[in-house]
């Protein structure tokens, strides 16, 4: 099965698993997905992830995070730049998302990073997603 937007598929799997109150979900692996999952872990949106071997491919088992009332920590997860419409931002255009309560993930020339870090390093890039 070929997908035109594998990152969008990953975000949808995480969003759907959170809404269904699953403990974890399995995502097909790639280097960019590993970077995004690492950022989600550092920012506290997921408990963690671990590589799982699926034949000759590598998948990721993502452990989702919930608050004390059993609601998912990821309240909103929006794919911004899509294959049909790429969205880029200069470093000066990057603003705090949801009054610094949310996170913007960008793909820059220096790697995948949060909007806050990209602004600090003064690099722009493609906006992958926004989450809060």
């Amino acid at each position: 099965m070929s997908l035109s937007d594998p990152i969008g598929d990953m975000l949808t799997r995480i969003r759907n698993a959170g809404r269904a109150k699953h403990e974890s979900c399995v995502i097909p692996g790639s280097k960019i997905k590993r970077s995004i999952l690492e950022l989600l872990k550092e920012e506290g949106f997921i408990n963690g992830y671990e590589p799982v071997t699926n034949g000759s491919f590598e998948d990721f088992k993502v452990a989702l995070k919930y608050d004390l009332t059993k609601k998912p920590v990821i309240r909103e997860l929006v794919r911004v730049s899509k294959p049909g419409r790429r969205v880029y931002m200069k470093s000066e255009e990057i603003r705090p998302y949801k009054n610094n309560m949310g996170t913007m993930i960008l793909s820059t020339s220096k790697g995948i990073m949060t909007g806050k870090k990209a602004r600090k390093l003064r690099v722009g890039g493609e906006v992958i997603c926004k989450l809060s």
Side-chain angles (χ1 to χ4, degrees):
M1 179 176 165
S2 76
L3 294 171
S4 63
D5 188 12
I7 296 171
D9 177 61
M10 175 187 82
L11 299 176
T12 300
R13 286 178 190 226
I14 292 172
R15 187 182 320 111
N16 290 344
R19 288 180 181 167
K21 308 250 189 289
H22 292 292
E23 288 182 22
S24 63
C25 65
V26 178
I27 296 168
S30 72
K31 290 179 185 178
I32 190 167
K33 290 178 187 177
R34 181 187 295 268
S35 301
I36 293 170
L37 288 173
E38 191 61 40
L39 276 178
L40 292 178
K41 182 180 172 186
E42 288 172 8
E43 294 292 318
F45 288 106
I46 61 173
N47 282 330
Y49 68 96
E50 60 183 32
V52 178
T53 305
N54 181 9
S56 61
F57 298 104
E58 183 180 59
D59 292 345
F60 297 117
K61 185 176 181 182
V62 180
L64 302 174
K65 192 173 188 178
Y66 297 93
D67 61 9
L68 297 175
T69 61
K70 304 290 187 213
K71 290 186 179 177
V73 172
I74 299 175
R75 307 256 188 237
E76 177 186 39
L77 184 56
V78 179
R79 175 82 159 120
V80 177
S81 186
K82 301 173 184 175
R85 182 174 184 265
R86 299 293 183 184
V87 178
Y88 298 94
M89 281 190 171
K90 296 179 184 176
S91 63
E92 302 85 33
E93 296 172 347
I94 299 171
R95 299 281 177 245
Y97 182 63
K98 298 255 182 174
N99 292 327
N100 279 332
M101 296 302 290
T103 303
M104 190 181 318
I105 298 179
L106 285 92
S107 174
T108 67
S109 58
K110 299 192 182 203
I112 307 288
M113 62 182 70
T114 62
K116 192 182 293 185
K117 186 175 178 184
R119 180 143 174 100
K120 184 178 178 183
L121 294 176
R122 298 183 50 88
V123 293
E126 181 181 353
V127 182
I128 296 174
C129 65
K130 295 179 180 181
L131 61 154
S132 61

